[in-house]
Amino acid sequence: MKNENIQFNLNFGGFYCSKHSEMIEAQIEALELDWETINFKDVFNEYSFDWLELLSNEINIDLKFINLDSPQYYNFRTDEIICEISQAKLEVLKDKYLTNECIDYINTESASRSGFTSFCSGFDNVIKEPSILAAYIFSYILESEEIEIDLHEINLNL
């Protein structure tokens, strides 16, 4: 097995109408800051970096922050964190989380449906693509596990 890192997109909920944007907006209002003076791109990047670190600590898996991928328009998708995981750590996640329930989740989520054409449908195809598999495993973890990330621990640097 190669000891290479795998880069993948992690859907953490993004900043469009989410708990993350609510947290930032509440802090701006509490501090009575001028919205026009805030560099939201920097705030979102720093927030994403801190959030990923908290997730890594919560599930005890090292994830490296690469970048925040923000769409130009939010009508098709939301922000995702581009991050990296080692092949060895992905194997640990596969051993722990690739249960029948997770495989059913991947089969359902990767299937084509109205408004979405899948180019990697079903677990048998997803498992061949480590970056896609990592993205689905983390989506499964965030949706099915009781992950407790205290957003108040994130340094907003407003």
Side-chain angles (χ1 to χ4, degrees):
M1 170 174 54
K2 296 180 204 170
N3 193 16
E4 60 187 43
N5 292 332
I6 298 157
Q7 201 172 95
F8 69 98
N9 289 21
L10 192 151
N11 183 350
F12 68 106
F15 293 106
Y16 182 73
C17 296
S18 71
K19 63 184 177 185
H20 306 293
S21 62
E22 288 173 7
M23 169 67 100
I24 294 167
E25 290 167 11
Q27 283 294 315
I28 291 170
E29 289 175 8
L31 296 171
E32 298 179 1
L33 298 174
D34 179 1
W35 291 78
E36 297 297 319
T37 64
I38 296 170
N39 182 331
F40 282 97
K41 182 177 181 179
D42 287 348
V43 170
F44 290 169
N45 271 315
E46 289 181 36
Y47 183 104
S48 301
F49 180 89
D50 286 354
W51 185 90
L52 186 67
E53 186 174 299
L54 291 170
L55 175 65
S56 293
N57 292 338
E58 180 69 23
I59 62 173
N60 199 27
I61 293 284
D62 293 326
L63 296 169
K64 179 182 175 192
F65 180 85
I66 303 296
N67 197 9
L68 176 65
D69 179 25
S70 295
Q72 186 171 3
Y73 304 103
Y74 283 106
N75 54 337
F76 296 112
R77 65 182 185 87
T78 192
D79 310 272
E80 294 179 328
I81 297 172
I82 301 172
C83 56
E84 199 171 75
I85 188 171
S86 71
Q87 179 67 40
K89 293 295 183 181
L90 180 59
E91 292 301 320
V92 168
L93 286 176
K94 286 166 57 175
D95 289 344
K96 182 174 182 178
Y97 290 103
L98 283 185
T99 62
N100 288 335
E101 185 178 312
C102 181
I103 292 168
D104 289 345
Y105 172 85
I106 292 170
N107 283 328
T108 300
E109 292 299 309
S110 67
S112 295
R113 55 193 167 276
S114 179
F116 173 69
T117 302
S118 179
F119 295 101
C120 192
S121 182
F123 178 75
D124 291 339
N125 290 314
V126 168
I127 196 143
K128 296 174 189 173
E129 301 291 336
S131 63
I132 296 172
L133 178 62
Y136 277 116
I137 289 175
F138 275 95
S139 290
Y140 174 77
I141 291 169
L142 292 172
E143 287 185 31
S144 67
E145 296 290 308
E146 294 195 17
I147 304 294
E148 296 292 329
I149 296 177
D150 184 359
L151 300 181
H152 293 93
E153 291 184 36
I154 295 175
N155 185 6
L156 293 180
N157 289 329
L158 298 170

PDB file of all heavy atoms in Angstrom, residues 104-126:
ATOM      1  N   ASP A 104     -24.967   1.433   2.751  1.00  0.00           N
ATOM      2  CA  ASP A 104     -26.310   1.828   2.300  1.00  0.00           C
ATOM      3  C   ASP A 104     -26.389   3.333   2.099  1.00  0.00           C
ATOM      4  O   ASP A 104     -26.979   3.816   1.133  1.00  0.00           O
ATOM      5  CB  ASP A 104     -27.382   1.379   3.303  1.00  0.00           C
ATOM      6  CG  ASP A 104     -27.594  -0.118   3.322  1.00  0.00           C
ATOM      7  OD1 ASP A 104     -27.139  -0.805   2.374  1.00  0.00           O
ATOM      8  OD2 ASP A 104     -28.200  -0.612   4.300  1.00  0.00           O
ATOM      9  N   TYR A 105     -25.795   4.082   3.022  1.00  0.00           N
ATOM     10  CA  TYR A 105     -25.758   5.543   2.911  1.00  0.00           C
ATOM     11  C   TYR A 105     -25.048   5.956   1.620  1.00  0.00           C
ATOM     12  O   TYR A 105     -25.552   6.801   0.868  1.00  0.00           O
ATOM     13  CB  TYR A 105     -25.042   6.138   4.138  1.00  0.00           C
ATOM     14  CG  TYR A 105     -24.785   7.608   4.040  1.00  0.00           C
ATOM     15  CD1 TYR A 105     -25.754   8.532   4.416  1.00  0.00           C
ATOM     16  CD2 TYR A 105     -23.568   8.099   3.567  1.00  0.00           C
ATOM     17  CE1 TYR A 105     -25.516   9.894   4.320  1.00  0.00           C
ATOM     18  CE2 TYR A 105     -23.317   9.450   3.472  1.00  0.00           C
ATOM     19  CZ  TYR A 105     -24.300  10.354   3.849  1.00  0.00           C
ATOM     20  OH  TYR A 105     -24.053  11.706   3.743  1.00  0.00           O
ATOM     21  N   ILE A 106     -23.894   5.371   1.356  1.00  0.00           N
ATOM     22  CA  ILE A 106     -23.130   5.705   0.145  1.00  0.00           C
ATOM     23  C   ILE A 106     -23.924   5.336  -1.099  1.00  0.00           C
ATOM     24  O   ILE A 106     -23.988   6.119  -2.057  1.00  0.00           O
ATOM     25  CB  ILE A 106     -21.745   5.024   0.158  1.00  0.00           C
ATOM     26  CG1 ILE A 106     -20.873   5.639   1.260  1.00  0.00           C
ATOM     27  CG2 ILE A 106     -21.070   5.129  -1.208  1.00  0.00           C
ATOM     28  CD1 ILE A 106     -19.574   4.892   1.520  1.00  0.00           C
ATOM     29  N   ASN A 107     -24.541   4.173  -1.106  1.00  0.00           N
ATOM     30  CA  ASN A 107     -25.356   3.767  -2.261  1.00  0.00           C
ATOM     31  C   ASN A 107     -26.477   4.765  -2.519  1.00  0.00           C
ATOM     32  O   ASN A 107     -26.735   5.132  -3.676  1.00  0.00           O
ATOM     33  CB  ASN A 107     -25.931   2.368  -2.060  1.00  0.00           C
ATOM     34  CG  ASN A 107     -24.903   1.283  -2.292  1.00  0.00           C
ATOM     35  OD1 ASN A 107     -24.006   1.417  -3.113  1.00  0.00           O
ATOM     36  ND2 ASN A 107     -25.029   0.196  -1.563  1.00  0.00           N
ATOM     37  N   THR A 108     -27.139   5.215  -1.467  1.00  0.00           N
ATOM     38  CA  THR A 108     -28.244   6.173  -1.618  1.00  0.00           C
ATOM     39  C   THR A 108     -27.741   7.540  -2.058  1.00  0.00           C
ATOM     40  O   THR A 108     -28.265   8.134  -3.007  1.00  0.00           O
ATOM     41  CB  THR A 108     -29.015   6.308  -0.274  1.00  0.00           C
ATOM     42  OG1 THR A 108     -29.530   5.033   0.082  1.00  0.00           O
ATOM     43  CG2 THR A 108     -30.143   7.312  -0.387  1.00  0.00           C
ATOM     44  N   GLU A 109     -26.723   8.042  -1.369  1.00  0.00           N
ATOM     45  CA  GLU A 109     -26.235   9.397  -1.645  1.00  0.00           C
ATOM     46  C   GLU A 109     -25.522   9.526  -2.987  1.00  0.00           C
ATOM     47  O   GLU A 109     -25.524  10.602  -3.582  1.00  0.00           O
ATOM     48  CB  GLU A 109     -25.304   9.864  -0.519  1.00  0.00           C
ATOM     49  CG  GLU A 109     -26.006  10.078   0.792  1.00  0.00           C
ATOM     50  CD  GLU A 109     -27.078  11.154   0.719  1.00  0.00           C
ATOM     51  OE1 GLU A 109     -26.801  12.254   0.239  1.00  0.00           O
ATOM     52  OE2 GLU A 109     -28.216  10.871   1.145  1.00  0.00           O
ATOM     53  N   SER A 110     -24.933   8.455  -3.463  1.00  0.00           N
ATOM     54  CA  SER A 110     -24.175   8.526  -4.725  1.00  0.00           C
ATOM     55  C   SER A 110     -25.033   8.216  -5.947  1.00  0.00           C
ATOM     56  O   SER A 110     -24.564   8.325  -7.079  1.00  0.00           O
ATOM     57  CB  SER A 110     -22.969   7.582  -4.683  1.00  0.00           C
ATOM     58  OG  SER A 110     -23.388   6.231  -4.654  1.00  0.00           O
ATOM     59  N   ALA A 111     -26.287   7.850  -5.733  1.00  0.00           N
ATOM     60  CA  ALA A 111     -27.171   7.479  -6.846  1.00  0.00           C
ATOM     61  C   ALA A 111     -27.690   8.713  -7.580  1.00  0.00           C
ATOM     62  O   ALA A 111     -27.930   9.758  -6.962  1.00  0.00           O
ATOM     63  CB  ALA A 111     -28.346   6.657  -6.323  1.00  0.00           C
ATOM     64  N   SER A 112     -27.869   8.575  -8.881  1.00  0.00           N
ATOM     65  CA  SER A 112     -28.484   9.643  -9.659  1.00  0.00           C
ATOM     66  C   SER A 112     -29.932   9.819  -9.217  1.00  0.00           C
ATOM     67  O   SER A 112     -30.590   8.868  -8.795  1.00  0.00           O
ATOM     68  CB  SER A 112     -28.451   9.307 -11.154  1.00  0.00           C
ATOM     69  OG  SER A 112     -27.129   9.262 -11.630  1.00  0.00           O
ATOM     70  N   ARG A 113     -30.394  11.065  -9.284  1.00  0.00           N
ATOM     71  CA  ARG A 113     -31.777  11.385  -8.942  1.00  0.00           C
ATOM     72  C   ARG A 113     -32.137  12.688  -9.640  1.00  0.00           C
ATOM     73  O   ARG A 113     -31.279  13.312 -10.273  1.00  0.00           O
ATOM     74  CB  ARG A 113     -31.959  11.489  -7.423  1.00  0.00           C
ATOM     75  CG  ARG A 113     -31.024  12.482  -6.749  1.00  0.00           C
ATOM     76  CD  ARG A 113     -31.035  12.320  -5.235  1.00  0.00           C
ATOM     77  NE  ARG A 113     -29.960  13.027  -4.585  1.00  0.00           N
ATOM     78  CZ  ARG A 113     -28.729  12.598  -4.407  1.00  0.00           C
ATOM     79  NH1 ARG A 113     -28.381  11.423  -4.876  1.00  0.00           N
ATOM     80  NH2 ARG A 113     -27.832  13.318  -3.789  1.00  0.00           N
ATOM     81  N   SER A 114     -33.350  13.096  -9.515  1.00  0.00           N
ATOM     82  CA  SER A 114     -33.803  14.320 -10.165  1.00  0.00           C
ATOM     83  C   SER A 114     -32.895  15.491  -9.770  1.00  0.00           C
ATOM     84  O   SER A 114     -32.701  15.759  -8.586  1.00  0.00           O
ATOM     85  CB  SER A 114     -35.244  14.622  -9.745  1.00  0.00           C
ATOM     86  OG  SER A 114     -35.676  15.812 -10.350  1.00  0.00           O
ATOM     87  N   GLY A 115     -32.310  16.128 -10.745  1.00  0.00           N
ATOM     88  CA  GLY A 115     -31.429  17.261 -10.492  1.00  0.00           C
ATOM     89  C   GLY A 115     -29.984  16.897 -10.228  1.00  0.00           C
ATOM     90  O   GLY A 115     -29.143  17.768 -10.034  1.00  0.00           O
ATOM     91  N   PHE A 116     -29.667  15.609 -10.192  1.00  0.00           N
ATOM     92  CA  PHE A 116     -28.298  15.173  -9.914  1.00  0.00           C
ATOM     93  C   PHE A 116     -27.974  13.933 -10.731  1.00  0.00           C
ATOM     94  O   PHE A 116     -28.618  12.887 -10.565  1.00  0.00           O
ATOM     95  CB  PHE A 116     -28.116  14.858  -8.421  1.00  0.00           C
ATOM     96  CG  PHE A 116     -26.783  14.233  -8.082  1.00  0.00           C
ATOM     97  CD1 PHE A 116     -25.607  14.965  -8.166  1.00  0.00           C
ATOM     98  CD2 PHE A 116     -26.706  12.912  -7.677  1.00  0.00           C
ATOM     99  CE1 PHE A 116     -24.385  14.388  -7.848  1.00  0.00           C
ATOM    100  CE2 PHE A 116     -25.489  12.322  -7.351  1.00  0.00           C
ATOM    101  CZ  PHE A 116     -24.330  13.065  -7.436  1.00  0.00           C
ATOM    102  N   THR A 117     -26.994  14.055 -11.593  1.00  0.00           N
ATOM    103  CA  THR A 117     -26.509  12.914 -12.355  1.00  0.00           C
ATOM    104  C   THR A 117     -25.182  12.491 -11.748  1.00  0.00           C
ATOM    105  O   THR A 117     -24.231  13.263 -11.705  1.00  0.00           O
ATOM    106  CB  THR A 117     -26.315  13.275 -13.840  1.00  0.00           C
ATOM    107  OG1 THR A 117     -27.555  13.736 -14.360  1.00  0.00           O
ATOM    108  CG2 THR A 117     -25.825  12.083 -14.630  1.00  0.00           C
ATOM    109  N   SER A 118     -25.129  11.264 -11.263  1.00  0.00           N
ATOM    110  CA  SER A 118     -23.927  10.769 -10.615  1.00  0.00           C
ATOM    111  C   SER A 118     -22.980  10.156 -11.647  1.00  0.00           C
ATOM    112  O   SER A 118     -23.392   9.387 -12.510  1.00  0.00           O
ATOM    113  CB  SER A 118     -24.287   9.711  -9.576  1.00  0.00           C
ATOM    114  OG  SER A 118     -23.119   9.227  -8.968  1.00  0.00           O
ATOM    115  N   PHE A 119     -21.711  10.501 -11.514  1.00  0.00           N
ATOM    116  CA  PHE A 119     -20.694   9.914 -12.371  1.00  0.00           C
ATOM    117  C   PHE A 119     -19.887   8.852 -11.622  1.00  0.00           C
ATOM    118  O   PHE A 119     -18.944   8.289 -12.153  1.00  0.00           O
ATOM    119  CB  PHE A 119     -19.766  11.000 -12.922  1.00  0.00           C
ATOM    120  CG  PHE A 119     -20.483  11.957 -13.821  1.00  0.00           C
ATOM    121  CD1 PHE A 119     -20.874  13.206 -13.366  1.00  0.00           C
ATOM    122  CD2 PHE A 119     -20.811  11.591 -15.116  1.00  0.00           C
ATOM    123  CE1 PHE A 119     -21.548  14.080 -14.186  1.00  0.00           C
ATOM    124  CE2 PHE A 119     -21.493  12.461 -15.948  1.00  0.00           C
ATOM    125  CZ  PHE A 119     -21.870  13.711 -15.480  1.00  0.00           C
ATOM    126  N   CYS A 120     -20.285   8.617 -10.374  1.00  0.00           N
ATOM    127  CA  CYS A 120     -19.640   7.601  -9.546  1.00  0.00           C
ATOM    128  C   CYS A 120     -20.708   7.038  -8.619  1.00  0.00           C
ATOM    129  O   CYS A 120     -20.754   7.329  -7.425  1.00  0.00           O
ATOM    130  CB  CYS A 120     -18.486   8.214  -8.758  1.00  0.00           C
ATOM    131  SG  CYS A 120     -17.428   6.983  -7.977  1.00  0.00           S
ATOM    132  N   SER A 121     -21.583   6.229  -9.179  1.00  0.00           N
ATOM    133  CA  SER A 121     -22.762   5.754  -8.463  1.00  0.00           C
ATOM    134  C   SER A 121     -22.529   4.393  -7.816  1.00  0.00           C
ATOM    135  O   SER A 121     -22.010   3.476  -8.437  1.00  0.00           O
ATOM    136  CB  SER A 121     -23.942   5.659  -9.440  1.00  0.00           C
ATOM    137  OG  SER A 121     -25.102   5.247  -8.781  1.00  0.00           O
ATOM    138  N   GLY A 122     -22.908   4.295  -6.542  1.00  0.00           N
ATOM    139  CA  GLY A 122     -22.847   3.024  -5.837  1.00  0.00           C
ATOM    140  C   GLY A 122     -21.516   2.786  -5.160  1.00  0.00           C
ATOM    141  O   GLY A 122     -20.470   3.254  -5.594  1.00  0.00           O
ATOM    142  N   PHE A 123     -21.574   2.047  -4.083  1.00  0.00           N
ATOM    143  CA  PHE A 123     -20.398   1.767  -3.279  1.00  0.00           C
ATOM    144  C   PHE A 123     -19.282   1.108  -4.083  1.00  0.00           C
ATOM    145  O   PHE A 123     -18.106   1.452  -3.921  1.00  0.00           O
ATOM    146  CB  PHE A 123     -20.773   0.882  -2.079  1.00  0.00           C
ATOM    147  CG  PHE A 123     -19.604   0.512  -1.233  1.00  0.00           C
ATOM    148  CD1 PHE A 123     -19.039   1.444  -0.387  1.00  0.00           C
ATOM    149  CD2 PHE A 123     -19.061  -0.760  -1.283  1.00  0.00           C
ATOM    150  CE1 PHE A 123     -17.939   1.121   0.404  1.00  0.00           C
ATOM    151  CE2 PHE A 123     -17.961  -1.100  -0.508  1.00  0.00           C
ATOM    152  CZ  PHE A 123     -17.403  -0.159   0.339  1.00  0.00           C
ATOM    153  N   ASP A 124     -19.632   0.180  -4.975  1.00  0.00           N
ATOM    154  CA  ASP A 124     -18.613  -0.530  -5.753  1.00  0.00           C
ATOM    155  C   ASP A 124     -17.783   0.419  -6.619  1.00  0.00           C
ATOM    156  O   ASP A 124     -16.607   0.152  -6.875  1.00  0.00           O
ATOM    157  CB  ASP A 124     -19.255  -1.607  -6.629  1.00  0.00           C
ATOM    158  CG  ASP A 124     -19.829  -2.753  -5.808  1.00  0.00           C
ATOM    159  OD1 ASP A 124     -19.395  -2.932  -4.649  1.00  0.00           O
ATOM    160  OD2 ASP A 124     -20.714  -3.465  -6.314  1.00  0.00           O
ATOM    161  N   ASN A 125     -18.364   1.523  -7.069  1.00  0.00           N
ATOM    162  CA  ASN A 125     -17.626   2.528  -7.834  1.00  0.00           C
ATOM    163  C   ASN A 125     -16.925   3.523  -6.919  1.00  0.00           C
ATOM    164  O   ASN A 125     -15.787   3.918  -7.172  1.00  0.00           O
ATOM    165  CB  ASN A 125     -18.558   3.267  -8.794  1.00  0.00           C
ATOM    166  CG  ASN A 125     -19.007   2.378  -9.926  1.00  0.00           C
ATOM    167  OD1 ASN A 125     -18.197   1.677 -10.532  1.00  0.00           O
ATOM    168  ND2 ASN A 125     -20.290   2.366 -10.199  1.00  0.00           N
ATOM    169  N   VAL A 126     -17.609   3.936  -5.853  1.00  0.00           N
ATOM    170  CA  VAL A 126     -17.043   4.921  -4.930  1.00  0.00           C
ATOM    171  C   VAL A 126     -15.761   4.406  -4.290  1.00  0.00           C
ATOM    172  O   VAL A 126     -14.790   5.150  -4.149  1.00  0.00           O
ATOM    173  CB  VAL A 126     -18.093   5.314  -3.857  1.00  0.00           C
ATOM    174  CG1 VAL A 126     -17.456   6.106  -2.717  1.00  0.00           C
ATOM    175  CG2 VAL A 126     -19.239   6.106  -4.488  1.00  0.00           C
TER     176      VAL A 126
END
